[in-house]
Amino acid sequence: MPTTTRVLASATAAATALLLAACGSSGDDDAAAADGVSVEAAFYPLQWTAEQVGGDRVDVASLTPPGAEPHDLELTPQDVASLSDADLVVYLQGFQPALDDAVVEAGDAAWDAGEAADLSLTTAEEHAHESEEHEGEEEHAEGEEVVDPHFWLDPTRLADVGDALADRLAEIDPDGAGTFRDNAAALRADLEALDAEMAQGLADCAVPTLVTGHDAFGYLAERYGLDVVGINGLSPSSEPSPAQLAEISSLVRERGVTTVYTETLVDPAVAETVAREAGVQTAVLDPIEGLTDESAGEDYLAVMRADLATLREGQGCA
């Protein structure tokens, strides 16, 4: 074979080998990425926490679509199938009735964040569901004490969930244990810094009573020395009677409340009615059950700080 021909053949072979090696490397990378822990999170705060703790070693999906009200979650057949396929399903018992029923499909992969959060608050369910739309939801008798699930509005409880989630992920992916625990420690540092800001910002408020669209802010109020009155009870879909609305309007006037808070994912009509009857203003206070284009930040930390600014103005904090 002539020298020139041999050189060309060698070059062609080398190029082909390099191309095959590159393709093989890409395939290996794709396979490695596909080997990450698959996590199905019930709704945004749990999704965000799983992403922070898991980092690059997890693939997190949310069962609640962006912009949807998580209390009203309805699962598709594909959603139910994803529960049985996931390595881990992070949910909150009692918060989403549809998921409570379906999570049995996940078997041992189901992980209830409420246990780590220590759901210590209860509240009287004052309003019953009044429409057929929520017929499938868990029913509570009026006046019955029910557990408040909205723990993530206390950053220290969310930090506890992050620590426990790191341990749970380490059981699934032992090689990533150090990464998970380091990420949880970094998350705790961020949340403790937020907690310090909240404590300082809400330490001296002229009006200690929060009147909110629904009773989602109990843990925040407990943590920072405030009192919360939820117009719609624990579920934003429950509807107060005219007599209850009149009672809340009177309370607003008696306690010197200047702001009634509406929410991003809930119809503000009832809260606006209370504010109008009491002659006070409204402002948006986000319970961070999900993000939308209207959210006042791109993640949990940013929205919590926006809520802090809203509360400082609405409650007359020094």
Side-chain angles (χ1 to χ4, degrees), residues 78-125:
Q78 292 92 333
D79 292 332
V80 175
S82 71
L83 297 178
S84 59
D85 294 337
D87 295 316
L88 183 65
V89 176
V90 183
Y91 77 112
L92 182 57
Q93 177 72 35
F95 185 68
Q96 296 169 293
L99 185 53
D100 289 345
D101 294 337
V103 78
V104 294
E105 299 293 334
D108 292 339
W111 187 78
D112 179 9
E115 296 180 10
D118 183 21
L119 301 182
S120 58
L121 292 186
T122 60
T123 188
E125 191 62 27

Side-chain angles (χ1 to χ4, degrees), residues 209-220:
T209 299
L210 305 181
V211 179
T212 61
H214 83 289
D215 198 0
F217 293 87
Y219 290 99
L220 183 150

Side-chain angles (χ1 to χ4, degrees), residues 48-225:
W48 181 77
T49 304
E51 289 170 345
Q52 302 308 302
V53 174
D56 293 338
R57 299 189 72 91
V58 301
D59 180 16
V60 183
S62 177
L63 290 164
T64 302
E69 217 302 316
H71 291 85
D72 298 332
L73 175 68
E74 295 182 4
L75 298 174
T76 67
Q78 292 92 333
D79 292 332
V80 175
S82 71
L83 297 178
S84 59
D85 294 337
D87 295 316
L88 183 65
V89 176
V90 183
Y91 77 112
L92 182 57
Q93 177 72 35
F95 185 68
Q96 296 169 293
L99 185 53
D100 289 345
D101 294 337
V103 78
V104 294
E105 299 293 334
D108 292 339
W111 187 78
D112 179 9
E115 296 180 10
D118 183 21
L119 301 182
S120 58
L121 292 186
T122 60
T123 188
E125 191 62 27
E126 297 180 357
H127 316 307
H129 296 306
E130 297 181 358
S131 70
E132 295 181 359
E133 178 183 355
H134 304 283
E135 184 179 351
E137 293 186 6
E138 184 177 357
E139 295 293 337
H140 299 286
E142 187 167 336
E144 178 186 352
E145 288 289 323
V146 293
V147 175
D148 182 351
H150 303 87
F151 72 86
W152 58 92
L153 294 171
D154 174 349
T156 64
R157 292 177 188 261
L158 191 57
D160 290 341
V161 170
D163 291 341
L165 181 56
D167 291 339
R168 183 68 183 88
L169 286 169
E171 294 174 6
I172 300 169
D173 177 13
D175 291 342
T179 297
F180 299 141
R181 288 169 182 142
D182 287 347
N183 289 348
L187 175 61
R188 174 171 288 279
D190 288 341
L191 292 171
E192 289 180 347
L194 171 64
D195 176 56
E197 292 176 36
M198 299 283 292
Q200 181 178 3
L202 300 175
D204 186 12
C205 298
V207 182
T209 299
L210 305 181
V211 179
T212 61
H214 83 289
D215 198 0
F217 293 87
Y219 290 99
L220 183 150
E222 181 192 51
R223 180 70 181 170
Y224 304 114

Side-chain angles (χ1 to χ4, degrees), residues 9 85 131 295 298 304:
D85 294 337
S131 70
S295 297
E298 62 182 14
M304 281 290 284

Side-chain angles (χ1 to χ4, degrees), residues 228-301:
V228 65
V229 176
I231 298 171
N232 284 350
L234 281 177
S235 171
S237 59
S238 62
E239 299 175 4
S241 68
Q244 289 164 333
L245 285 177
E247 181 181 350
I248 294 173
S249 297
S250 296
L251 179 147
V252 168
R253 290 188 291 267
E254 291 167 2
R255 298 193 184 182
V257 172
T258 61
T259 305
V260 171
Y261 298 101
T262 63
E263 302 174 17
T264 53
L265 298 178
V266 177
D267 187 341
V270 175
E272 289 173 346
T273 297
V274 170
R276 185 168 56 251
E277 291 294 324
V280 300
Q281 67 182 354
T282 62
V284 176
L285 189 65
D286 197 334
I288 322 182
E289 294 177 351
L291 294 188
T292 72
D293 292 339
E294 298 178 4
S295 297
E298 62 182 14
D299 66 5
Y300 168 88
L301 294 172

